[in-house]
Amino acid sequence: MKRKMRVGILTGGGDCPGLNAVIRAVAKKLIIENNVEIIGIKDGYEGLIRNYYKRLDYADVSGILTLGGTILGTSNIANPYRQAVKHRGKTVMRDVSKKVIENIKKMKFDSIVCIGGDGTLTIASLLYKDGIPVVGVPKTIDNDIRGTDVTFGFDTAVAIATEGIDRLHTTAQSHHRVMLVEVMGRTAGWIALYAGIAGGGDIILIPEIPFEIEKIASLVKERYKRGSRFSIIVVAEGAKPKGGKVVIKRIVQESTIAVRLGGISMLLGKQLEELTGIETRAVMMGHLLRGGSPTSTDRVLATQLGTAAAEFVRKKKFGMMVGVKGNSFAAVALKEVAKGPRIIKANNQLVSVARCVGTSFGD
Ligand code: F6P
């Protein structure tokens, strides 16, 4: 009797609303149309290193469409090509890819669907180079993956950030304060840009446009004089002053991208209060943007991407990820992702739109 086709699914990197919707779509399509055996690989690449698996039957992927997080667990540390291991009491980095490839062969995976951001997809492209049939699905709330116009999770993050701005508006207005809202976005300010426009932010600060604190202070004072005795400043965690540096929250040595940002809003708040004399508060939204149920837009996108990835598996389009190009889906080489993040260009139309309605970028 011919053995069933066996497909592994893993989720890597930070969690993101819509991950379960993708898992569900990949698994359901392959089970319904091809009676494929689906194996969930637990905790991202950690599962391939340590052989942590669980079989996913149809019932296991039912009822997870609206669920936040990932039923498989994830890791933003595990990396077969640079894995942190203990050696004589010290943490050292080791290439354990040969063992991982052996494990994959032992498991008889016909292919593996890797759902993740730049780190996860870059590792997937290395595994492909080493002979593993992989298919990628781009994921991140940051919306900054090269080769795709949009990623699932972004719409949800923007919706949560916008709600945060709306809620802070009332306090800003009632107390005549400056309110800074810090959102995620290390190298790309997509969340700050979209939520800033949607929430009517007076100033939007993004990593791509370095700011000048004096300019921000004079804008805030001008608004005050004009009778708008409050200001809302939406700031991406990776925003920095002209010629200055980002604010680092912590270093995670084991991680491919070791630096974790956070705190620019606190620093700016203090400086602005000193420069303007206006009471200022800062709120860091941080991981709130990644939590909970995906929006309907993200549920639809995740379902489209998941079914497209299942089709890639069937057609043996390996070494590729599903990219969104305009209104359709395209196969994009995984190695594209490693070329760096998709940042906001100087001539971005939304930046111009924001400037047209009087929003400043602090530049
Ligand atoms: O890439 C997703 C992301 O949420 C970034 O926006 C943020 O800088 C980073 O992950 C935070 O990572 P961690 O969850 O490890 O703090």
Side-chain angles (χ1 to χ4, degrees):
M1 207 174 74
K2 208 175 150 227
R3 124 178 136 78
K4 265 191 182 185
M5 189 178 174
R6 178 181 278 182
V7 173
I9 305 180
L10 68 80
T11 53
D15 70 331
C16 176
L19 279 170
N20 288 322
V22 178
I23 296 169
R24 167 184 177 268
V26 173
K28 280 199 169 180
K29 179 172 159 84
L30 289 173
I31 293 171
I32 293 170
E33 294 181 0
N34 300 82
N35 193 26
V36 169
E37 181 183 14
I38 305 290
I39 305 291
I41 299 161
K42 291 193 200 170
D43 298 343
Y45 291 109
E46 189 78 33
L48 288 177
I49 296 168
R50 300 190 189 282
N51 289 306
Y52 293 158
Y53 310 108
K54 68 170 169 193
R55 206 186 125 113
L56 294 179
D57 292 324
Y58 193 89
D60 299 311
V61 293
S62 261
I64 63 168
L65 173 66
T66 63
L67 211 63
T70 160
I71 58 161
L72 295 176
T74 187
S75 162
N76 56 9
I77 294 173
N79 179 349
Y81 296 89
R82 191 181 168 274
Q83 179 67 2
V85 289
K86 282 269 180 245
H87 181 70
R88 293 186 182 146
K90 274 191 179 166
T91 304
V92 290
M93 297 301 172
R94 286 270 160 82
D95 182 342
V96 295
S97 58
K98 285 210 169 62
K99 183 175 172 257
V100 163
I101 289 162
E102 252 172 54
N103 291 345
I104 293 172
K105 290 200 172 138
K106 264 192 221 144
M107 279 299 289
K108 295 190 165 50
F109 285 125
D110 294 288
S111 79
I112 297 179
V113 177
C114 300
I115 312 165
D118 44 4
T120 304
L121 296 178
T122 302
I123 295 168
S125 97
L126 295 176
L127 284 173
Y128 175 66
K129 232 174 108 199
D130 282 337
I132 305 299
V134 296
V135 165
V137 181
K139 160 246 67 159
T140 172
I141 60 162
D142 300 340
N143 200 31
D144 64 350
I145 296 184
R146 198 177 276 256
T148 186
D149 295 349
V150 67
T151 51
F152 71 87
F154 175 62
D155 186 69
T156 308
V158 170
I160 299 167
T162 305
E163 190 184 344
I165 298 166
D166 289 350
R167 289 183 183 277
L168 291 166
H169 234 119
T170 56
T171 304
Q173 265 173 323
S174 313
H175 288 261
H176 318 297
R177 281 178 184 163
V178 175
M179 294 296 266
L180 288 114
V181 190
E182 181 173 329
V183 296
M184 282 186 171
R186 275 184 294 231
T187 42
W190 295 107
I191 299 175
L193 179 62
Y194 273 73
I197 292 174
D202 305 299
I203 298 164
I204 301 173
L205 305 176
I206 57 175
E208 294 89 337
I209 307 180
F211 60 81
E212 285 180 52
I213 184 83
E214 293 78 15
K215 287 223 170 121
I216 301 173
S218 61
L219 273 167
V220 166
K221 283 196 276 188
E222 249 173 59
R223 277 180 53 80
Y224 199 92
K225 270 193 226 142
R226 283 205 314 262
S228 301
R229 292 164 61 208
F230 72 96
S231 287
I232 298 282
I233 305 177
V234 184
V235 52
E237 62 182 356
K240 53 185 176 302
K242 274 187 190 160
K245 287 194 179 125
V246 289
V247 176
I248 295 174
K249 187 169 62 181
R250 64 160 71 197
I251 302 284
V252 184
Q253 280 307 351
E254 304 89 337
S255 188
T256 322
I257 301 165
V259 168
R260 296 290 184 277
L261 303 179
I264 178 75
S265 58
M266 307 287 160
L267 189 76
L268 270 180
K270 212 167 153 276
Q271 292 173 343
L272 277 177
E273 195 167 80
E274 275 163 22
L275 287 168
T276 61
I278 303 170
E279 199 178 14
T280 303
R281 295 282 191 279
V283 173
M284 283 169 69
M285 293 200 72
H287 292 85
L288 283 175
L289 304 185
R290 276 184 8 201
S293 188
T295 58
S296 52
T297 300
D298 273 337
R299 293 178 201 180
V300 173
L301 178 61
T303 304
Q304 287 174 305
L305 290 170
T307 53
E311 199 53 32
F312 279 24
V313 167
R314 282 179 9 158
K315 294 199 169 134
K316 299 192 186 335
K317 279 196 202 172
F318 299 131
M320 299 284 170
M321 70 168 197
V322 188
V324 181
K325 301 272 173 172
N327 288 326
S328 57
F329 297 91
V332 178
L334 280 169
K335 58 178 191 244
E336 261 301 290
V337 176
K339 290 183 182 162
R342 190 179 68 89
I343 60 170
I344 300 170
K345 296 204 179 105
N347 62 354
N348 183 280
Q349 189 253 357
L350 272 184
V351 172
S352 314
V353 165
R355 291 198 199 269
C356 286
V357 293
T359 306
S360 164
F361 286 84
D363 57 336

